[in-house]
Amino acid sequence: MIVADVGYVAWRELLKFFRAKTRLLVTVIQPLLWLGLMGNMMEGLVKNPFVERLLGTGSYLAFMTPGVLLMTVLFGGVFAGMSIVWDRRIGYLEKLLAAPISRAAIPLGKMMASAVQGGFQGLLILLIATGLGVRFATGFPGAIFALVVAMTFSLILSGFSLALAARIKSQETLMAVVNFFTMPLMFTSNALFPREAMPGWLATLAQMNPVTHAVTPIRQILLFGWDWGAIWVSLLVIGGLAILMMFVAAQSFLRTTVE
Amino acid sequence: MEAVCVENLVKIYHGGIRAVDGVSFAIDEREIFGFLGPNGAGKSTTIKCIVGLLRPTNGTIRILGVDVGKDPGVAKRSIGYAAQETAVDDHLTGWENLYLQGRFYHLSQEEIRKRGEEVLRLFGLWERRNDLAQTYSGGMLKRLDIACALIHRPRILFLDEPTLGLDVQTRTAIWEYIRKLREEHGMTIFLTTHYMEEADELCDRVAIIDQGKILALDKPGALKAALGGDLITLKFVSTDERLPALLSAIQALPGVRNLRSSPDGIHWIWVEQRGDRLIPELVQLALAHGIQVDSVRLKRPTLDDVYLHYTGREIREAEVSREEHVRARILQRRVRR
């Protein structure tokens, strides 16, 4: 039963996601801007052989693609909590809580929807990147693998923001708290900047950052090829965190009332 | 069996506000029961405790004999709940809203299709089912919301302020739907309102609640009667020696409580209730005594009088958080469009 409940909560979110045409358009344009503008802008920098060695590739665009992929998923994921705030405002959350569905299905459904959205956006990014000349060293299976990692990563973010939204009732506060985490997460990771070029303390921070653990395996299989030895720790961290956040989010809704 | 039985319900919010303070009542099956009270009286809190959205601090609630605290799943399936905030998703169509609700109550595709059509036709929304809810008027949204609450055929329907902010036509239509649900489906209906005429028109019994306590609970007629009943003012064309006999005959009529006469020939008759039914009798009685009636006037206490009698005239300014203000504004905008 809980699987069906999760499914219908997710279905509602996805129906709305694919119906919001403007939002869809923006999700296409944004990565296009990132990759097209910033990717090309930085291209000159990579002409430097030293930088090329740091990046591990002669194409900043290829280096950056996993970063943009994760960034999009990151900012998309944190919006999952906003939907709870909105549902609470229009009274829909009460409706869900009054129904005989499993309460855990509410955050889990929204997390699933957020992962599917992330996967869809990720697919667009990979298509755009391909159009700009980026090629996966591991080909098509590698691209699928990248999307799966991105979707798993999205569960961490959406779970986090949903757990917060179970307690934070106002949109502004939730947004502030979430941004407090997302921006530093982004810029203390190796998403846009190689860890090898970071000062020691930042490199240590980046090593502990979940964003880094999501970027590393994708970059590995995009630039170099399958090397499980190099990526298994990161996969374990991401997978473990995703399961943990599913549990935390579900738990935070189990005892929720409308007080 | 009682449809709803609430015993000594207490709800204290974080911060120590006693929203509900020892409320007890029982609702029979097929009854339309109204909760009447000013803002912040504890109406919504009581409803939310019953439908399982809030955990009571104390007391027991039974729905058709099932303890809500012990077996919420079973209780939830036999109740429908439409909140004060028209909880419709604007970005979905009417049908999608209804379909999801059906799925959340674990109905099959087939059941949803059949009952969905039934309730949408009942509420006059069938033709608009494939339009996004954001194109609906306030009244349509409210109807859709109630329709959603009915998809799983609950035995008891809880409506929190079902007509708040709606125009007179829509309000009357919703009253009709509520009556129909009772007549045709034998549903028990619990509603809260602060419109007196709504309670008067619709409810079999009314509880007046203020500051978390039930102050009065009875049939609307009985509540009004308890306040002193109807007052008939009577004037005769001419009076003579036959008048005393007539007056004592009037005083002997059933339901007449008191009679006073002024020196200039005006008579006041206090009646327990239904003074309108007594007037023809009074006229006939006068004629039988050979006395012509000049004029009759009837003043009945309204439920407003009852309400003000119990709750006082003080205006309530409940303290609300900013977030609640935002919600209230959204609600207002939604019903007014």
Side-chain angles (χ1 to χ4, degrees):
Chain A
M1 250 347 168
I2 181 163
V3 177
D5 292 344
V6 168
Y8 287 111
V9 173
W11 181 68
R12 166 171 174 246
E13 296 301 323
L14 290 172
L15 208 57
K16 293 202 287 183
F17 175 77
F18 286 106
R19 201 166 272 169
K21 297 279 180 284
T22 319
R23 194 160 118 201
L24 272 181
L25 197 67
V26 171
T27 60
V28 180
I29 292 175
Q30 201 178 25
L32 201 63
L33 282 177
W34 274 100
L35 291 170
L37 282 179
M38 195 168 166
N40 279 320
M41 200 169 69
M42 300 291 276
E43 211 58 52
L45 189 75
V46 197
K47 295 289 173 284
N48 184 331
F50 175 66
V51 176
E52 187 175 337
R53 206 169 65 240
L54 278 177
L55 295 180
T57 168
S59 157
Y60 184 73
L61 204 59
F63 174 85
M64 188 190 176
T65 299
V68 172
L69 177 63
L70 263 298
M71 191 158 66
T72 309
V73 170
L74 178 93
F75 288 124
V78 296
F79 265 98
M82 297 297 286
S83 76
I84 285 286
V85 174
W86 186 249
D87 280 355
R88 186 183 282 121
R89 274 194 179 167
I90 65 166
Y92 205 92
L93 184 63
E94 273 194 12
K95 207 172 192 167
L96 288 172
L97 293 173
I101 58 168
S102 158
R103 293 209 161 165
I106 300 169
L108 292 180
K110 290 194 186 259
M111 287 168 83
M112 292 308 145
S114 169
V116 174
Q117 288 167 22
F120 173 76
Q121 287 172 307
L123 183 68
L124 289 179
I125 291 166
L126 292 189
L127 285 177
I128 291 166
T130 310
L132 293 171
V134 175
R135 293 289 176 271
F136 268 82
T138 47
F140 184 69
I144 298 296
F145 172 83
L147 288 181
V148 171
V149 173
M151 287 168 79
T152 312
F153 179 72
S154 137
L155 291 177
I156 303 173
L157 269 303
S158 55
F160 172 68
S161 84
L162 283 163
L164 286 176
R167 284 164 192 84
I168 297 174
K169 313 276 194 262
S170 107
Q171 196 165 330
E172 293 80 357
T173 314
L174 181 66
M175 228 32 226
V177 173
V178 156
N179 277 337
F180 177 80
F181 285 100
T182 49
M183 282 306 192
L185 266 179
M186 202 59 221
F187 290 108
T188 60
S189 80
N190 62 352
L192 302 174
F193 198 70
R195 209 163 65 82
E196 288 74 7
M198 288 178 184
W201 62 273
L202 189 59
T204 316
L205 259 179
Q207 183 61 46
M208 295 186 296
N209 189 333
V211 180
T212 304
H213 287 291
V215 169
T216 305
I218 299 179
R219 189 164 286 153
Q220 166 68 34
I221 55 121
L222 193 152
L223 297 181
F224 311 114
W226 301 108
D227 179 1
W228 296 104
I231 62 178
W232 72 270
V233 177
S234 288
L235 291 181
L236 211 64
V237 169
I238 294 302
L241 276 176
I243 291 167
L244 177 74
M245 287 322 292
M246 282 167 85
F247 182 75
V248 169
Q251 203 59 34
S252 64
F253 275 82
L254 281 185
R255 307 281 300 159
T256 297
T257 59
V258 296
E259 251 171 62
Chain B
M1 191 177 16
E2 285 144 346
V4 180
C5 178
V6 173
E7 275 167 29
N8 194 30
L9 179 69
V10 177
K11 175 66 195 177
I12 304 170
Y13 284 111
H14 300 305
I17 300 162
R18 286 178 95 88
V20 177
D21 193 5
V23 159
S24 302
F25 61 92
I27 308 174
D28 289 324
E29 284 194 74
R30 294 181 63 97
E31 190 177 8
I32 300 182
F33 186 87
F35 242 31
L36 196 58
N39 295 331
K43 303 187 297 282
S44 295
T45 305
T46 307
I47 268 203
K48 283 176 187 171
C49 286
I50 300 175
V51 301
L53 286 171
L54 288 174
R55 258 187 303 283
T57 311
N58 211 341
T60 53
I61 299 163
R62 277 192 298 277
I63 301 280
L64 297 163
V66 179
D67 192 323
V68 173
K70 291 205 184 89
D71 210 342
V74 174
K76 274 179 176 180
R77 264 169 251 267
S78 47
I79 61 182
Y81 166 61
Q84 199 170 332
E85 303 89 350
T86 309
V88 165
D89 194 327
D90 279 356
H91 304 291
L92 301 177
T93 67
W95 179 259
E96 286 161 352
N97 267 291
L98 198 69
Y99 180 82
L100 272 173
Q101 183 79 1
R103 283 304 191 183
F104 291 145
Y105 280 83
H106 305 141
L107 303 182
S108 73
Q109 183 97 22
E110 212 31 59
E111 283 170 311
I112 296 175
R113 212 171 279 154
K114 225 175 93 235
R115 295 179 192 182
E117 181 170 352
E118 191 184 305
V119 287
L120 284 183
R121 284 193 191 282
L122 172 71
F123 283 86
L125 291 167
W126 180 248
E127 267 65 47
R128 295 287 306 273
R129 68 189 180 281
N130 289 326
D131 295 340
L132 288 182
Q134 57 191 357
T135 65
Y136 286 16
S137 70
M140 291 172 73
L141 282 177
K142 194 74 221 180
R143 269 142 57 201
L144 177 60
D145 196 29
I146 299 177
C148 285
L150 292 171
I151 186 78
H152 61 290
R153 290 214 177 122
R155 306 250 320 261
I156 311 162
L157 180 63
F158 290 85
L159 300 172
D160 199 354
E161 309 262 10
T163 63
L164 184 68
L166 298 177
D167 60 34
V168 179
Q169 285 82 358
T170 314
R171 190 187 302 174
T172 318
I174 285 182
W175 290 352
E176 276 316 305
Y177 293 130
I178 291 173
R179 281 202 202 92
K180 226 177 189 172
L181 289 173
R182 195 251 299 267
E183 303 315 326
E184 289 172 18
H185 300 272
M187 212 172 273
T188 307
I189 292 146
F190 179 119
L191 60 92
T192 71
T193 181
H194 51 226
Y195 295 124
M196 302 312 119
E197 83 264 33
E198 180 161 295
D200 206 1
E201 178 82 13
L202 216 49
C203 297
D204 300 317
R205 284 190 307 148
V206 172
I208 295 177
I209 178 170
D210 194 16
Q211 293 174 343
K213 288 193 165 83
I214 291 184
L215 302 174
L217 194 166
D218 213 329
K219 297 189 173 73
L223 285 173
K224 286 182 281 187
L227 213 64
D230 294 2
L231 173 67
I232 299 172
T233 313
L234 202 59
K235 211 177 155 207
F236 300 114
V237 174
S238 59
T239 54
D240 47 38
E241 70 289 346
R242 284 172 291 189
L243 183 64
L246 171 61
L247 291 183
S248 47
I250 290 173
Q251 215 148 15
L253 284 174
V256 172
R257 262 196 201 161
N258 197 5
L259 190 151
R260 258 176 48 207
S261 306
S262 77
D264 48 349
I266 296 168
H267 308 276
W268 292 285
I269 305 162
W270 279 270
V271 185
E272 253 157 44
Q273 53 182 323
R274 297 315 303 254
D276 51 339
R277 287 198 179 146
L278 200 71
I279 290 172
E281 241 178 293
L282 284 174
V283 174
Q284 275 189 344
L285 204 61
L287 286 177
H289 284 78
I291 295 173
Q292 288 275 328
V293 175
D294 177 61
S295 68
V296 186
R297 215 177 63 205
L298 173 68
K299 187 188 175 293
R300 322 185 66 169
T302 59
L303 210 48
D304 286 278
D305 295 329
V306 178
Y307 180 80
L308 289 173
H309 170 78
Y310 284 108
T311 62
R313 290 180 178 273
E314 193 185 330
I315 294 171
R316 306 308 157 84
E317 305 280 12
E319 268 186 42
V320 289
S321 71
R322 207 188 75 79
E323 177 62 20
E324 281 171 76
H325 269 303
V326 173
R327 284 179 64 170
R329 278 215 307 278
I330 292 172
L331 170 67
Q332 291 284 315
R333 270 208 300 276
R334 283 163 72 90
V335 295
R336 283 195 187 144
R337 74 188 188 201

